[in-house]
């Protein structure tokens, strides 16, 4: 129930409605067959219909990957208490939201391919993270120590008090270690670890092609609707990224404060690569001591205020706030992107930059805000 008190660390379920493995119907791949790589085919999500169904204060909303050719089947097969129900469809670049009529609640099913598939509905629980400054990211098979250090750093340097960690199908022992570490080695007030074992997808493969990466953007928007509408701020950075702290004379103490100071309620910022002296294999964030002023990360990260103007538009990995995104950019802060804090799934990530030099500020910051280890 939405009014129940959640434990400090909880693991909410998602609806996860997928086409049966033996069903002949599949989502069509947008990229022409001749241009598809093996990775594109292997990671494409051709079966997921609905990631989650969320019952808000006045309606039920379904959060879906791009439905593409599956849309008519979902539209015609959706049932509320056994009866057809119309939905209002909102399409974004990488996800869709289907809204049921206002005030219509009940049991949902989807009749598709001659089968009736039950669709679990979960209550929105914005009170859980109400008033908290929350960190959010997606992980897969990420060492627990990296996750714990990342959470503790942002708690100490930026006052983070809540965390939503979306787990994209990690090995069970790694997932269990991360949960145990967050529970026993952090002081965060509230933590949600959400299992989202859906295909992640690959690059689109060309311009003017519908993207094949649906999952991460869908999860950001789903988490906002289900848990974060009453949060004070939401910071989206990956485990290999630390937002740099503010100087003592700055008018803002934390990245969340900076976001709240913006007229649109959102701040975005670019990063700087940091390198480990010993890059023979994956390294912890704290092992990075070198930077190169010319090695910048141009993909912006962001912090948003859920009741601000920017949050009225769909969230994205790098460019939230819709038409207001240009007004979010700030040079008042940046993030360090730790080059060797990687399991090696991207080529060259373990290689130290050719001009990397010792960075006193980086080293001092890591010593100040991370427990010894």
């Amino acid at each position: 129930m939405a009014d129940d008190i959640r434990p400090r660390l909880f693991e909410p379920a998602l609806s996860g409605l997928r086409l049966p493995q033996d069903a002949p119907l599949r989502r069509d791949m947008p990229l022409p067959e001749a241009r598809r790589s093996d990775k594109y085919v292997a990671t494409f999500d051709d079966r997921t219909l609905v990631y989650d169904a969320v019952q808000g204060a006045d309606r039920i909303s379904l959060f879906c990957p791009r439905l593409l050719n599956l849309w008519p089947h979902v539209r015609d097969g959706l049932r509320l208490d056994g009866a057809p129900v119309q939905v209002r469809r909102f399409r974004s670049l990488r996800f869709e939201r289907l809204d049921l009529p206002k005030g219509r609640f009940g049991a949902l099913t989807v009749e598709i391919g001659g089968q009736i598939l039950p669709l679990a509905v979960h209550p929105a629980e914005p009170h859980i993270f109400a008033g908290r400054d929350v960190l959010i990211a997606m992980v897969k098979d990420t060492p627990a120590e990296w996750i714990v250090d990342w959470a503790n750093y942002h708690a100490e340097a930026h006052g983070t008090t809540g965390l939503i960690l979306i787990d994209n199908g990690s090995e069970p022992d790694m997932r269990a270690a991360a949960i145990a570490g967050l529970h026993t080695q952090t002081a965060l007030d509230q933590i949600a670890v959400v299992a989202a074992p859906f295909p992640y997808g690959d690059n689109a493969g060309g311009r003017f092609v519908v993207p094949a990466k649906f999952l991460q953007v869908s999860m950001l928007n789903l988490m906002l609707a289900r848990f974060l509408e009453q949060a004070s701020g939401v910071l989206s950075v990956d485990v290999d990224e630390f937002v740099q702290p503010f100087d003592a004379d700055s008018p803002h103490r934390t990245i969340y404060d900076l976001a709240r100071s913006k007229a649109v309620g959102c701040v975005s910022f670019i990063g700087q690569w940091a390198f480990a002296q010993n890059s023979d294999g994956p390294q912890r964030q704290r092992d990075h001591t070198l930077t190169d002023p010319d090695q910048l990360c141009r993909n912006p990260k962001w912090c948003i205020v859920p009741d601000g103007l920017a949050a009225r538009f769909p969230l994205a990995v790098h460019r939230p706030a819709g038409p207001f995104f240009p007004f979010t950019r700030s040079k008042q802060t940046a993030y360090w992107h730790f080059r060797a804090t990687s399991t090696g799934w991207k080529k060259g990530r373990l290689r130290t930059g050719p001009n990397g030099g010792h960075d006193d500020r980086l080293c001092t910051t890591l010593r100040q805000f991370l427990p010894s280890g």
Side-chain angles (χ1 to χ4, degrees):
M1 297 296 293
D3 293 332
D4 287 350
I5 298 175
R6 290 283 198 174
R8 172 176 168 262
L9 191 153
F10 68 106
E11 300 177 59
L14 302 180
S15 306
L17 182 64
R18 308 193 73 202
L19 290 166
Q21 185 68 51
D22 59 357
L25 186 63
R26 290 289 187 270
R27 175 181 287 103
D28 292 339
M29 297 182 185
L31 192 65
E33 184 174 1
R35 296 166 58 187
R36 299 172 192 163
S37 66
D38 291 343
K39 181 182 178 183
Y40 183 96
V41 174
T43 62
F44 184 78
D45 189 343
D46 60 357
R47 292 176 48 216
T48 302
L49 299 174
V50 181
Y51 290 125
D52 202 17
V54 179
Q55 181 172 318
D58 60 359
R59 70 175 77 245
I60 296 173
S61 296
L62 313 184
F63 289 82
C64 313
R66 287 296 302 273
L67 291 170
L68 305 177
N69 61 297
L70 298 179
W71 159 242
H73 302 276
V74 174
R75 177 195 63 203
D76 298 341
L78 187 63
R79 301 288 185 268
L80 178 66
D81 291 332
V85 60
Q86 292 186 339
V87 295
R88 187 176 182 187
R89 184 188 189 194
F90 296 88
R91 280 178 288 182
S92 189
L93 184 63
R94 298 177 187 270
F95 81 103
E96 301 191 19
R97 193 186 81 230
L98 310 181
D99 286 350
L100 272 69
K102 188 174 181 178
R104 298 285 303 279
F105 304 111
L108 292 181
T109 56
V110 177
E111 298 184 13
I112 193 166
Q115 300 187 55
I116 300 177
L117 308 177
L119 176 58
V121 178
H122 299 108
E125 299 178 279
H127 61 283
I128 293 177
F129 290 96
R132 304 189 192 283
D133 286 334
V134 181
L135 185 62
I136 188 169
M138 178 175 286
V139 297
K140 182 172 183 176
D141 293 331
T142 302
E145 183 181 9
W146 298 1
I147 296 172
V148 168
D149 276 354
W150 167 76
N152 281 331
Y153 171 85
H154 287 98
E156 292 296 321
H158 290 282
T160 294
T161 56
L163 167 64
I164 293 184
L165 191 71
I166 304 159
D167 186 274
N168 182 216
S170 294
E171 291 295 327
D173 58 339
M174 299 200 74
R175 173 182 165 84
I179 291 173
L182 289 170
H183 184 66
T184 62
Q185 300 174 43
T186 75
L188 296 171
D189 295 338
Q190 192 71 66
I191 303 166
V193 179
V194 183
F198 307 99
Y200 186 82
D202 193 18
N203 294 329
R207 297 183 65 187
F208 311 115
V209 178
V210 174
K213 291 181 179 179
F214 311 125
L215 181 62
Q216 189 170 6
V217 171
S218 299
M219 289 297 114
L220 289 171
N221 287 276
L222 167 60
M223 293 300 111
L224 178 63
R226 185 167 168 183
F227 295 115
L228 295 173
E229 288 186 342
Q230 294 178 18
S232 291
V234 178
L235 172 61
S236 174
V237 291
D238 293 330
V239 171
D240 58 353
E241 298 164 347
F242 284 7
V243 180
Q244 297 176 10
F246 291 95
D247 295 332
D249 59 353
S250 170
H252 310 292
R253 192 183 79 80
T254 74
I255 188 63
Y256 303 100
D257 293 336
L258 180 57
R260 286 187 282 268
S261 76
K262 295 289 187 179
V264 298
C266 181
V267 61
S268 63
F269 43 94
I270 64 170
Q272 181 179 31
W273 284 106
F275 306 96
Q277 186 70 50
N278 174 18
S279 283
D280 184 16
Q283 305 289 322
R284 304 173 300 175
Q285 301 98 324
R286 66 174 73 232
D287 296 324
H288 290 67
T289 60
L290 311 173
T291 60
D292 180 340
D294 296 325
Q295 297 271 353
L296 300 179
C297 307
R298 297 293 181 181
N299 284 331
K301 293 306 174 83
W302 49 264
C303 183
I304 200 165
V305 181
D307 65 355
L309 183 61
R312 298 180 187 179
F313 299 89
L315 299 180
V317 175
H318 297 298
R319 296 179 63 89
F324 293 103
F325 177 74
F327 302 101
T328 70
R329 299 301 294 271
S330 175
K331 295 182 179 179
Q332 293 180 259
T333 190
Y335 63 93
W336 284 301
H337 198 166
F338 300 108
R339 188 86 176 185
T341 304
S342 169
T343 53
W345 64 280
K346 286 186 177 181
K347 282 187 177 182
R349 277 294 300 271
L350 305 181
R351 192 166 37 84
T352 299
N355 300 312
H358 184 82
D359 189 319
D360 288 335
R361 180 172 183 246
L362 168 62
C363 296
T364 300
T365 298
L366 294 178
R367 287 194 300 267
Q368 178 181 357
F369 293 116
L370 282 181
S372 60

